[in-house]
Amino acid sequence: MTGMTAAHSPLASSPSAASASSSDGPRLGLRERKKIKTREAIRTATYALIEEQGYDATTIDQIADRAEVSPSTVFRYFPTKEDIVLTDEYDALLLEEIRQRPPAEPWPDTIRQVLRRAVQLGVEEDARITRLRTHLMVQVPAVRSRMMESMSVTGRMLCQAIAERTGRDPDGLEVRVYAMSLVGGLMEASLYWAERGHQDDFAGLVDRALDVLEHGLPGENR
């Protein structure tokens, strides 16, 4: 997820994303399944090459060759090499999970439950790739810069989900501020986790980030 969790921003992509779409909602058509399969092949090739030789040494031509597609196909799916690292199939799934939560559930509870699920998908089911992605976010300026650019896209998607759930205007200032605060908080939790060698419990860090958004700084005078 580009910005929501990285962690998928922060979360890693997985073939399970395609199957989840078919089980949790309308079954994907053949064309869309082929697109997801191609994106997965490109990502898998990219991660393998980065692990073998490093980020800077990995080229689009090498990625295309390893994924058995043309360089133009890589660029058709991912405008930049950074996008291959940062994007995944989870944003739409997470937004759909928000929509499926009980209507009367308080919004802070909804977002906490959905993000716990996101952490489970990204960290517990594909820990190696999630750690690689967050490591690159810290170590590679181009990846971190692209992540900052992509945050606004994820923030807008989240604004729409919040608006649907709360009846607020998705372009309202309060909704936009909250959505971008959430995206930024999750990004910082991901960076914090990677900067400390992934030693902390990432789910716990996400909970701490949500606590700050919900209650303010610990010990803050009110």
Side-chain angles (χ1 to χ4, degrees):
M1 164 171 214
T2 307
M4 296 246 328
T5 45
H8 82 52
S9 17
L11 287 184
S13 60
S14 162
S16 63
S19 60
S21 294
S22 61
S23 61
D24 294 342
R27 183 173 178 81
L28 293 173
L30 176 61
R31 184 174 183 180
E32 185 58 31
R33 294 201 302 274
K34 286 183 176 179
K35 287 181 179 179
I36 291 175
K37 185 176 180 180
T38 300
R39 287 196 293 266
E40 291 293 344
I42 293 170
R43 290 195 191 97
T44 299
T46 302
Y47 296 140
L49 286 165
I50 290 173
E51 288 182 316
E52 292 169 12
Q53 61 190 26
Y55 181 84
D56 290 335
T58 298
T59 67
I60 294 296
D61 284 344
Q62 290 173 336
I63 293 169
D65 183 66
R66 180 72 65 93
E68 299 183 342
V69 299
S70 67
S72 63
T73 297
V74 176
F75 282 121
R76 186 163 68 249
Y77 284 100
F78 302 100
T80 70
K81 186 170 69 172
E82 292 75 33
D83 288 320
I84 305 175
V85 173
L86 291 172
T87 60
D88 55 41
E89 308 300 331
Y90 284 132
D91 276 2
L93 296 179
L94 293 175
L95 293 175
E96 185 60 29
E97 286 204 24
I98 290 174
R99 295 184 177 112
Q100 291 179 0
R101 297 297 300 178
E105 184 177 61
W107 171 255
D109 294 343
T110 290
I111 199 66
R112 196 176 293 268
Q113 292 300 320
V114 168
L115 290 178
R116 282 175 178 165
R117 174 61 176 157
V119 170
Q120 180 185 20
L121 285 172
V123 178
E124 296 181 10
E125 294 187 8
D126 208 345
R128 179 179 61 86
I129 295 302
T130 301
R131 285 175 168 79
L132 175 61
R133 294 176 80 190
T134 53
H135 173 76
L136 293 172
M137 286 162 53
V138 170
Q139 296 295 327
V140 181
V143 172
R144 189 164 58 252
S145 176
R146 185 64 172 174
M147 178 181 61
M148 297 293 291
E149 293 177 14
S150 69
M151 283 174 59
S152 62
V153 176
T154 301
R156 290 295 184 180
M157 293 175 66
L158 186 57
C159 282
Q160 187 60 45
I162 294 170
E164 292 174 6
R165 181 60 181 276
T166 65
R168 294 176 178 267
D169 180 359
D171 289 324
L173 177 62
E174 289 79 7
V175 171
R176 291 168 61 175
V177 168
Y178 180 83
M180 291 308 297
S181 297
L182 178 58
V183 172
L186 294 172
M187 181 193 73
E188 289 301 325
S190 299
L191 293 174
Y192 184 95
W193 185 51
E195 288 166 356
R196 286 154 180 76
H198 303 107
Q199 296 300 310
D200 298 281
D201 172 46
F202 185 60
L205 295 179
V206 170
D207 269 337
R208 286 171 58 186
L210 294 175
D211 286 342
V212 172
L213 289 175
E214 188 174 351
H215 305 296
L217 292 172
E220 182 181 22
N221 293 326
R222 293 184 178 276

